[in-house]
Amino acid sequence: MAQNPARRVALTDAAVDVLAEQGARGLTFRAVDVRAGVPIGTASNYFAGRDALLDQTARHIHHRLTPDPVIIGELLRAPRDRALVTALMHDLVRRIDADRAGYLALLELRLEATRRPEIRALLTTTIREQLEANIAYHLDEGLPGDRETVVTLYLAMTGLLVEHLTLPGVLGPDALPALVGTLVARTVPGA
C-alpha cells in the first residue's frame, strides 16, 4: 500500500464527500479518485479494498468533526453551568454546519451499518468510544448533570442535527438556535 500521508488524507476527504453526495453505493475507488482529482487507480493503491476505504473513512469523519481545541479552551473559561453546555452545543452545530458533508457521510455509514455487520461493528465501536469520551469529558470538566444527562443530550442533539441537515424546512430556517437552548434547558439540570 502507498504511504503518502497527505494523499491518504486527501483521498479519505474525497471519500467523505462521495459518501455525502452519492451514498454508500456510490462510494467506489473511481469516484474517490475523480473527487480527489488524482489519476484513476490511485485510491486502490492506498486502500486494500472497499471495506478498508469505508473503515478509514469512518475513522476520518470523527477526526474532521473534532472540536477545535482553541475554541473549546475559550468556551471553558466560563462557569460550569447550563449556559456553558448551551454554548458547547452551539459550537457542535457550528462545526456540523461547517462540515455538512462529514455529518451526512456519517449518516450514510449508519445506514450502511444496517445492511453490513462489519460496518455495524466498526461504527458501533467508534460511536460508543466517542460517546464514552464525551461522557467522561463532561464529568471531568465539572459540567452540570450526570452520565444520563449526557446520553439524553446526545440523543436529542443527534435527532435535531439529522432533522436540520436532511429536512431543514420542517423546523424552519431560524428555529435551530432556540431549539438548542430548549434541549439543553430541558435536559441539563440548573444550578
Side-chain angles (χ1 to χ4, degrees):
M1 293 286 106
Q3 294 299 323
N4 178 337
R7 174 146 302 171
R8 183 177 295 275
V9 169
L11 290 166
T12 311
D13 278 333
V16 169
D17 292 339
V18 170
L19 267 174
E21 293 169 6
Q22 299 177 32
R25 302 287 183 220
L27 184 66
T28 64
F29 284 136
R30 181 178 193 71
V32 170
D33 289 338
V34 168
R35 180 65 185 204
V38 298
I40 301 301
T42 302
S44 63
N45 290 326
Y46 283 81
F47 305 98
R50 189 167 181 275
D51 287 343
L53 176 62
L54 280 166
D55 177 66
Q56 288 298 309
T57 302
R59 294 174 196 279
H60 186 63
I61 288 168
H62 286 89
H63 174 72
R64 280 176 48 157
L65 297 174
T66 299
D68 180 335
V70 173
I71 292 173
I72 296 300
E74 289 292 322
L75 289 172
L76 290 176
R77 291 183 180 173
R80 303 307 198 252
D81 58 12
R82 190 186 284 159
L84 175 56
V85 176
T86 303
L88 291 167
M89 294 305 103
H90 281 293
D91 180 64
L92 172 65
V93 171
R94 181 196 57 75
R95 285 185 283 117
I96 297 302
D97 275 340
D99 190 2
R100 294 173 80 82
Y103 201 79
L104 290 172
L106 181 59
L107 293 177
E108 285 293 339
L109 284 172
R110 283 175 175 261
L111 290 172
E112 189 66 10
T114 66
R115 297 179 284 272
R116 298 189 53 201
E118 63 278 4
I119 299 299
R120 181 180 307 127
L122 165 72
L123 211 51
T124 297
T125 299
T126 304
I127 299 290
R128 184 180 294 132
E129 287 171 357
Q130 289 291 317
L131 179 57
E132 290 299 328
N134 287 335
I135 292 166
Y137 183 83
H138 188 96
L139 298 176
D140 291 348
E141 285 296 327
L143 295 166
D146 57 13
R147 177 184 183 80
E148 290 172 353
T149 302
V150 179
V151 171
T152 303
L153 190 56
Y154 160 76
L155 293 170
M157 288 298 295
T158 299
L160 182 62
L161 289 167
V162 168
E163 198 71 33
H164 171 64
L165 292 178
T166 61
L167 298 171
V170 170
L171 300 174
D174 302 323
L176 193 61
L179 285 170
V180 168
T182 299
L183 286 177
V184 172
R186 294 192 179 177
T187 306
V188 177

